[in-house]
Amino acid sequence: NTLHCPPDPHVCAVECIGKNACHDATINWPSSGLGSLSHSGLWSADNIVFPRPDPNTPTTIDCPGNWECQSSTIYCPTDADCNVHCGDGGTNDNDDSCRFATIYCPVNGNCDIQCRGLYGSCDRSTIYCPTNGNCNLNCQAEYACYQAVVEWAPQPYTNNLTCSYFGCAGINTPAPTAPTLRTTQRPTTATTPTSAPTSDPTTSAPTTASPTTASPT
């Protein structure tokens, strides 16, 4: 299935409601990438490319159902905070909500990703944390982030990883924060002169020239 959105500046709003509603669909979003996507149901937004949200508007993306956003590419706004919820926190027995998904956090903004389904909600997903912002990844469900690959935020930004029930099995953990190095200038120590000379004196005895006596002629 292929859906062609109208060109900019028209708004492209796509609804994927019901089981398999947009499963494996190709959506040609406007050239700006902007649009809106509503989805609900098993495999309803499975293996599709999400639209790019308005770059300056904080955004929450919900994928609560079984396999709802599996294998999909999910974009956060580039310059605003973003929340991505995979699974509903245990209200229902949902599995693999964002399994194999690729999630792009903001470039400039904080990112909070909750992998909280019953099982494997972010299993083998790929997550790109902010370049300029903090990154929080919650994997408190059974194998929630199993073998996930995360590109963590660089220092000095904060990376938080919370795990339980083998939720972080096989994941690459964030690097420990480097300790602050204190540069202390050591006092200059004067060199102690040696008591013994390093070499024998090199002064030679003066040379005395003998006077030259001329012979009488």
Side-chain angles (χ1 to χ4, degrees), residues 30-57:
S31 57
S32 64
L34 299 177
S36 66
L37 176 67
S38 301
H39 50 89
S40 177
L42 279 69
W43 296 287
S44 58
D46 169 38
N47 196 28
I48 66 172
V49 176
F50 279 50
R52 297 177 186 268
D54 180 83
N56 300 307
T57 303

Side-chain angles (χ1 to χ4, degrees), residues 18-34:
K19 183 177 178 181
N20 293 325
C22 295
H23 171 69
D24 283 344
T26 299
I27 304 174
N28 293 323
W29 298 104
S31 57
S32 64
L34 299 177

